Amino acid sequence: MHRLFPELEPSVTVTEKNLADRVRYILRSNTFDVTELERLRREAVPSSGENAAAEDAASQLAEQTANVDAAVNTPVVVDSNDDGTVAQELELEQMRSTLEEAIVETRSTPLENRPRLPRLALSKRNRAVVRALNPMLVTYLEASRDLCEMDSILFGAALAVCCIIGAKLSTAGRATGQSSAIPAWRIRIEERIARAGALIGRLICFKSGNTRPRIVRTVRMAFAGTNVSLSQPDITQKLTERIDDLKQRIAAWGKRIRRYTERSTRFNQNRLFQSDQKRLYKSLERPIVSGTGPAPNQADTVAFWRSLWSEPVNHNEGPWTEVVVSQCADIMPMDPVNIKPDDVLRRSVGPRTGKVRGLTGCITTG
């Protein structure tokens, strides 16, 4: 069919997959009946030999159409435990068009750009939708030619189920779905830190004499549930204690986030060390910071270091050095140790198999 299509329509460029998709769509939508399809095939292929092939193709088309109609019109089987009204509300025509669009979209989308499918609950409605779409996949799977096309069909079917039941799909691709995810507990802790910081600021403002209604209302909310009153004499001490308590909470929350960050970093580095050591070492390298200012003058550099190393300096060591020298006068110096190659060889050959001597076993004095 793809070989004959450019001869019939030379101005239209179409691929084999697109042409096959359009043929399947025409067969499923019942745009033409069997007689009309046979007539169109005879007009497109006028020769006698091709007419016979067209008749065979028309019969095959009729059989495929009957199979599609039987698959589409198959009633949804509902268990006795399920709610029968769920299956009655499902419109097979709309579901078939949704499935067709999902499969076509999946075929034209790269694997890394496909949306991440959520995990669906096994409810009665979801099971009914799946059972209604299963018969529609028979024709697609029978016409698939390889595993890649079968994968696109199955993923498109899953995508159609999500669209029909109204599940929320992730807009990020598979490659970046988890790398930028922030745990929900960390978001909550960061929000607590932000609220505590704002409350500390208003408590400090009230402590410094700011009595605006908004500030006073916030301070009263901070001491809600306690016996503290803003008019009592020791309110300044209570404010200080409350501020210190909030600061300690912020420090504890921040320490929890730091522990998680350090643990996550160690885990990722260990996993990267097992998979790609070169990439790990490259990530651990510090960036080279190059100076943006002018280069130092060579003459000034030489003069600076010459003033430090070439000029003789007389150090005033103080009286404590004389005390140390007098205390060490009675200590006899150690005799020089002369180690020969024969000594090292003799000491290294001595251990038994599986035993290794340390440094103390190789060096002897006296």
Side-chain angles (χ1 to χ4, degrees):
M1 185 183 299
H2 183 263
R3 186 176 64 254
L4 296 176
F5 191 86
E7 300 177 1
L8 300 175
E9 296 292 337
S11 61
V12 180
T13 303
V14 65
T15 61
E16 296 180 0
K17 185 174 294 185
N18 293 335
L19 185 59
D21 292 339
R22 298 308 302 173
V23 171
R24 295 192 192 99
Y25 176 76
I26 292 173
L27 294 177
R28 293 188 187 92
S29 60
N30 295 328
T31 305
F32 305 102
D33 56 3
V34 180
T35 307
E36 187 68 14
L37 289 174
E38 185 178 356
R39 185 184 62 82
L40 293 174
R41 180 60 61 88
R42 289 175 180 176
E43 291 178 359
V45 186
S47 61
S48 59
E50 293 176 351
N51 284 335
E55 292 177 358
D56 296 338
S59 61
Q60 293 178 1
L61 290 176
E63 184 179 357
Q64 291 179 0
T65 304
N67 293 334
V68 171
D69 293 338
V72 170
N73 297 325
T74 301
V76 179
V77 180
V78 182
D79 296 338
S80 59
N81 296 330
D82 294 343
D83 189 2
T85 59
V86 175
Q88 296 177 359
E89 296 175 358
L90 298 175
E91 299 179 0
L92 295 179
E93 187 65 29
Q94 184 177 1
M95 294 174 61
R96 183 168 56 250
S97 61
T98 303
L99 178 62
E100 178 75 22
E101 293 176 359
I103 293 177
V104 174
E105 181 182 357
T106 304
R107 286 175 175 174
S108 60
T109 304
L111 180 61
E112 61 273 7
N113 294 334
R114 291 182 181 178
R116 183 172 295 276
L117 300 178
R119 180 174 295 180
L120 304 179
L122 295 178
S123 60
K124 297 179 180 180
R125 181 173 180 269
N126 294 349
R127 289 199 302 266
V129 171
V130 173
R131 283 196 299 269
L133 289 179
N134 282 337
M136 302 180 187
L137 292 176
V138 176
T139 307
Y140 290 97
L141 296 177
E142 290 179 352
S144 61
R145 295 171 296 179
D146 51 14
L147 290 178
C148 294
E149 188 173 357
M150 184 178 297
D151 175 72
S152 301
I153 294 172
L154 296 178
F155 189 88
L159 183 62
V161 172
C162 295
C163 295
I164 292 173
I165 67 177
K168 186 178 180 181
L169 299 176
S170 176
T171 56
R174 294 186 176 182
T176 59
Q178 297 179 350
S179 59
S180 60
I182 301 177
W185 64 267
R186 179 171 179 174
I187 297 176
R188 291 194 298 268
I189 291 179
E190 290 177 352
E191 293 176 353
R192 293 176 190 173
I193 293 175
R195 290 195 297 266
L199 181 57
I200 289 174
R202 295 192 178 185
L203 292 177
I204 293 175
C205 290
F206 182 80
K207 185 178 179 180
S208 61
N210 190 344
T211 58
R212 289 186 300 176
R214 187 176 180 181
I215 301 296
V216 174
R217 184 169 60 252
T218 304
V219 174
R220 288 177 179 174
M221 292 176 61
F223 289 102
T226 61
N227 296 327
V228 178
S229 176
L230 302 184
S231 59
Q232 62 187 31
D234 58 343
I235 185 62
T236 304
Q237 180 66 23
K238 297 297 182 181
L239 288 173
T240 304
E241 294 176 357
R242 181 60 175 167
I243 291 173
D244 293 341
D245 179 67
L246 291 175
K247 289 182 178 180
Q248 292 177 6
R249 291 187 179 185
I250 291 177
W253 291 334
K255 189 176 181 180
R256 185 183 303 178
I257 293 178
R258 286 194 299 272
R259 286 201 307 266
Y260 166 78
T261 304
E262 293 174 357
R263 178 192 174 280
S264 178
T265 303
R266 290 195 302 268
F267 176 79
N268 294 331
Q269 288 179 353
N270 292 337
R271 186 172 58 180
L272 188 60
F273 180 79
Q274 297 177 358
S275 60
D276 192 352
Q277 297 182 8
K278 181 179 179 181
R279 183 180 174 186
L280 172 63
Y281 295 142
K282 188 175 182 180
S283 63
L284 295 177
E285 292 179 356
R286 295 183 178 180
I288 300 176
V289 180
S290 59
T292 58
N297 189 5
Q298 183 177 1
D300 297 338
T301 304
V302 172
F304 173 78
W305 290 108
R306 182 172 295 171
S307 64
L308 295 178
W309 299 102
S310 300
E311 300 294 335
V313 178
N314 296 324
H315 298 283
N316 185 10
E317 297 180 351
W320 64 272
T321 57
E322 298 178 359
V323 176
V324 174
V325 170
S326 61
Q327 292 178 354
C328 298
D330 298 337
I331 300 175
M332 296 300 295
M334 179 179 175
D335 296 334
V337 179
N338 187 12
I339 302 175
K340 299 179 180 179
D342 296 338
D343 299 334
V344 177
L345 182 61
R346 184 172 60 256
R347 299 302 300 177
S348 60
V349 173
R352 292 176 297 173
T353 304
K355 302 293 183 178
V356 178
R357 288 186 181 273
L359 296 178
T360 56
C362 296
I363 300 176
T364 58
T365 59

